[in-house]
Amino acid sequence: MSRLSDSNVAVAKEIIARYPRQKSALIPLLHLAQEQTGYISREAMVHLGELVGVTSAEVYGTATFYEMFRFEPIGKYLVNICGTMSCALMGSEKLMHHAEKRLGVKAGGTTADGMFTLAHAECQAACTEAPCLQVNYRFRLRVTTADLDNLIDDLKTGKLSDEIPVHGVLSKVRQHIAPDREVGAVAPELVNESPVWLNGKAAL
Amino acid sequence: MSVTYAHAPGFVAGDRPKIVTSRFEFADSYTLERYLATDGYKGLRAALSRPANEIHDDVKNATVLGRGGAGFPAGTKWGLTPQQVWPRYLVVNGDESEPGTYKDRLLMERDPHQLIEGCLIASYAAGLSQCFLYIRGEMALAQERVATALNEAYAAGYIGKNILGSNFSIDIILHWGAGAYVVGEETALIESLEGNRGMPRLKPPFFPAANGLYGQPTIVNNVETLANLPWLMCNGVAAYTAVGTKTSPGTRMVAVSGHVKRPGVFEIINGTTTFRDLIFGEEFCGGIKDDNKLKAFVPGGGSAPWFTPDQLDLPFEASQVGPAGSMLGSGAVMVMDETTDIPAAALTLTHFYAHESCGKCTPCREGGTWLERILRRIVDGSGTDADLQQLLEVGAMICPGDFPHAANEKLGLKAVPFPYKMTTICFVGPSAFAPVHSALTLFRSEFEARVTKRVTIPVTAVGVSS
Ligand SMILES: Cc1cc2nc3c(=O)[nH]c(=O)nc-3n(C[C@H](O)[C@H](O)[C@H](O)COP(=O)(O)O)c2cc1C
Ligand code: SF4
């Protein structure tokens, strides 16, 4: 059930083909699995191993290094509140306490209705807009406690469902390369000549 | 200055050229349409009309410094790849996650075509076989904007086979991470791109230029570094070096966050702009929040030793900031005013680096955790005076010898210059210590006020007869 669907296998194959070595596609494919199910199941890891030609243990080894991958279901909306220096200086601790009270869970916890998972996050590259948070990796900047209350209300009533997809969906746009435009990936051992334009002559 | 710049909206008050942020004022700055209307892909055309080695020479002569942290000149780095070894790759470092750093995300979200054009120019000049654009996992919008731009540029003939009808062909592959700060380190980035756990490799032998992706020569460049190239190609080396100083030409993007009136990301003149200009200048942050006093600031991202008001007049020039005891790093200034709880502020950073340790080196894995725990109990009020010494002892196992710090007139301190010695593979371990060391050196009294005297319970040995 949590193996990749047929349509996702097609996407996976397109991604794999872009790399000189198949294993390079692993992180994008783990995202694809998480997009399909909201988390990464054992079956998905076995399937990804088959697709890129490594053992499921190797897939597990890679997957567990990265914080965004989850191995059990979490809330529909993952609320990551930044706590690193710039946000801390601007009051992120207060924001976190407020969120904990409002959602009735501690950082790391998921609400009983499965709507929200609250988490502490590290620097999100929005330091001049502190304190900041992300909901399923979409930014909210200079967040006040009132903003946070409104955000939670809007997420509950589905007002933001166009802007913020459910947990697991990251980029809503995929790269597509038309076959007639693609140079194509070649295994490194099959390339041993310099590119044609490097022979000193102008390219145009 | 009598240099004309090809990008029309290139100036703001004070004759400040915008090399990489010129399109930010447009709401549709990320579209191909806007890009083409503002000299987009003109730099690529200019580059392709000349031999590749000349383009490489231009980048060398312009001294385009790396903007990812180390400040190494890009043209020199490209020249370090061994002769006659193919294929060679370009890996674009868009993993921006150093605390305080906020510029690459803007460049990817607001002007993705500029970055793509930069990648193409670099690939042409250095004879590269394939380009991978690695974006931090948590940046969904940047991934969408770059994916859209890549799709547009492929369709319009700017990427892929026979670019603009020339014999130059290259693919740019969008790749994205999944949350790990250390992956920003170039060898870890390569491990991650190979589908592995993102742990740094030992240098030597794994210098990417010689032995990088799949064991092949690989150029790793920061997003901002590459974003400079289209402007350089359009305007030429002389125009580029006319901005800034000889050793730090051009501009650089700097994010100023924390306790200032108007936090923001600014494109500043390299080499001459000072920290005082940035923090107090009306053109920039306009002073400290609530007109409070400045207590300290981090000059170059969370890894950098701290400065106090004594260092405000230093310019953005590595050759001056290094001897003064810190580094410019990734263009991130974090400002603390007089209300700041210094041990608590240091703890947020030490927690960050301890949390992000990949675990490969013992001094970083264990030492970072120890530093965090000891600091936390001091902040929580249960530390003792012995803990202060212990912090320094643990730090000395990560960085033996004198650790860099700033001069301080009031405390009678002389600067200890950058860099430091280290027992770890990468800079994550030392970075966990840097904030502790700075805070403890410059604000020791705040720690002393927090700790209690350690009570030694005398132990009387009872002899055991043999
Ligand atoms: C722990 C660590 C994290 C780093 N993170 C980044 C990063 O997020 N982005 C970046 O461009 N460089 C980062 N760097 C620097 C890279 O290793 C590398 O020097 C840089 O990408 C080279 O590009 P440049 O020469 O264009 O600056 C990091 C280095 C270390 C040690
Ligand atoms: S210093 Fe820390 S993060 Fe860097 S390689 Fe060693 S253990 Fe990993």
Side-chain angles (χ1 to χ4, degrees), chain B residues 82-414:
Chain B
Q83 301 285 309
Q84 308 308 330
V85 182
W86 317 97
R88 304 169 173 181
Y89 301 106
L90 174 64
V91 179
V92 184
N93 195 340
D95 195 58
E96 183 169 69
S97 22
E98 172 78 0
T101 313
Y102 174 27
K103 62 191 184 67
D104 299 337
R105 180 165 75 81
L106 279 173
L107 289 169
M108 293 187 283
E109 288 179 358
R110 306 274 279 271
D111 203 345
H113 283 287
Q114 177 175 256
L115 171 61
I116 292 170
E117 192 179 353
C119 296
L120 294 167
I121 294 166
S123 301
Y124 175 70
L128 307 179
S129 316
Q130 204 174 355
C131 168
F132 300 91
L133 211 167
Y134 191 123
I135 304 183
R136 179 172 171 186
E138 291 95 332
M139 297 178 178
L141 181 63
Q143 290 158 25
E144 285 171 2
R145 290 269 168 88
V146 173
T148 307
L150 285 169
N151 291 345
E152 288 173 328
Y154 259 105
Y158 294 109
I159 320 177
K161 258 191 230 162
N162 300 108
I163 292 168
L164 297 171
S166 72
N167 63 1
F168 169 51
S169 302
I170 192 146
D171 280 329
I172 301 180
I173 307 301
L174 174 63
H175 190 89
W176 58 110
Y181 161 73
V182 67
V183 160
E185 195 281 334
E186 55 190 6
T187 58
L189 192 73
I190 288 168
E191 278 289 335
S192 182
L193 184 52
E194 290 183 1
N196 302 327
R197 296 169 76 82
M199 294 162 125
R201 297 170 174 173
L202 203 58
K203 301 191 248 189
F206 294 105
F207 285 109
N211 187 347
L213 184 64
Y214 315 126
Q216 294 297 127
T218 302
I219 291 167
V220 181
N221 268 140
N222 171 257
V223 164
E224 188 191 345
T225 313
L226 293 163
N228 271 272
L229 303 181
W231 194 97
L232 173 64
M233 288 301 120
C234 284
N235 297 281
V237 175
Y240 191 87
T241 53
V243 182
T245 59
K246 193 161 182 298
T247 43
S248 302
T251 62
R252 72 177 294 170
M253 285 176 78
V254 180
V256 191
S257 61
H259 296 146
V260 286
K261 284 191 177 141
R262 293 189 302 272
V265 186
F266 307 98
E267 181 169 2
I268 63 164
I269 306 271
N270 222 352
T272 55
T273 311
T274 65
F275 290 101
R276 189 186 299 282
D277 295 339
L278 255 187
I279 296 173
F280 291 97
E282 274 314 309
E283 216 189 330
F284 302 106
C285 296
I288 305 294
K289 197 171 151 249
D290 304 330
D291 286 318
N292 283 344
K293 276 209 209 76
L294 170 65
K295 191 168 188 178
F297 60 99
V298 188
S303 308
W306 299 3
F307 280 163
T308 64
D310 288 21
Q311 284 77 35
L312 272 175
D313 291 313
L314 284 172
F316 270 74
E317 168 64 53
S319 64
Q320 293 189 46
V321 170
S326 191
M327 61 166 187
L328 291 172
S330 46
V333 178
M334 294 184 280
V335 178
M336 293 169 260
D337 73 6
E338 60 192 311
T339 66
T340 309
D341 175 344
I342 291 285
L347 176 60
T348 69
L349 290 176
T350 297
H351 162 76
F352 176 90
Y353 294 104
H355 176 86
E356 298 296 335
S357 168
C358 81
K360 197 166 179 171
C361 326
T362 311
C364 169
R365 185 186 62 238
E366 304 298 324
T369 312
W370 273 60
L371 289 173
E372 184 190 351
R373 282 198 200 152
I374 298 169
L375 194 53
R376 193 176 295 283
R377 71 173 173 246
I378 295 172
V379 170
D380 289 347
S382 49
T384 69
D385 52 353
D387 284 337
L388 305 186
Q389 189 51 32
Q390 180 116 50
L391 282 173
L392 296 176
E393 279 169 16
V394 174
M397 291 179 199
I398 305 171
C399 295
D402 283 346
F403 196 82
H405 66 75
N408 193 285
E409 213 181 282
K410 229 182 353 195
L411 300 172
L413 287 175
K414 274 216 184 85

Side-chain angles (χ1 to χ4, degrees), chain B residues 14-35:
Chain B
D15 212 21
R16 197 148 51 88
K18 287 187 178 175
I19 290 179
V20 292
T21 62
S22 66
R23 293 180 195 85
F24 281 22
E25 63 197 77
F26 300 108
D28 62 350
S29 60
Y30 52 90
T31 62
L32 180 60
E33 204 183 340
R34 170 63 65 191
Y35 195 63

Side-chain angles (χ1 to χ4, degrees), chain A residues 77-83 87 92 95-96 98-99 103 116-127 129-149 151-152 155 160 163-164, chain B residues 105 138:
Chain A
Y77 296 111
L78 171 62
V79 181
N80 277 328
I81 299 183
C82 178
C87 284
S92 63
L95 197 62
M96 179 54 98
H98 184 80
L103 293 173
F116 298 99
T117 295
L118 181 65
H120 258 300
E122 301 299 342
C123 188
Q124 298 175 332
C127 315
E129 312 293 331
C132 68
L133 63 79
Q134 287 188 321
V135 183
N136 292 350
Y137 305 106
R138 315 271 153 175
F139 279 100
R140 286 295 180 272
L141 306 173
R142 304 196 191 204
V143 186
T144 63
T145 50
D147 292 340
L148 188 83
D149 285 336
L151 174 68
I152 289 168
L155 286 166
L160 296 172
E163 187 207 335
I164 304 180
Chain B
R105 180 165 75 81
E138 291 95 332

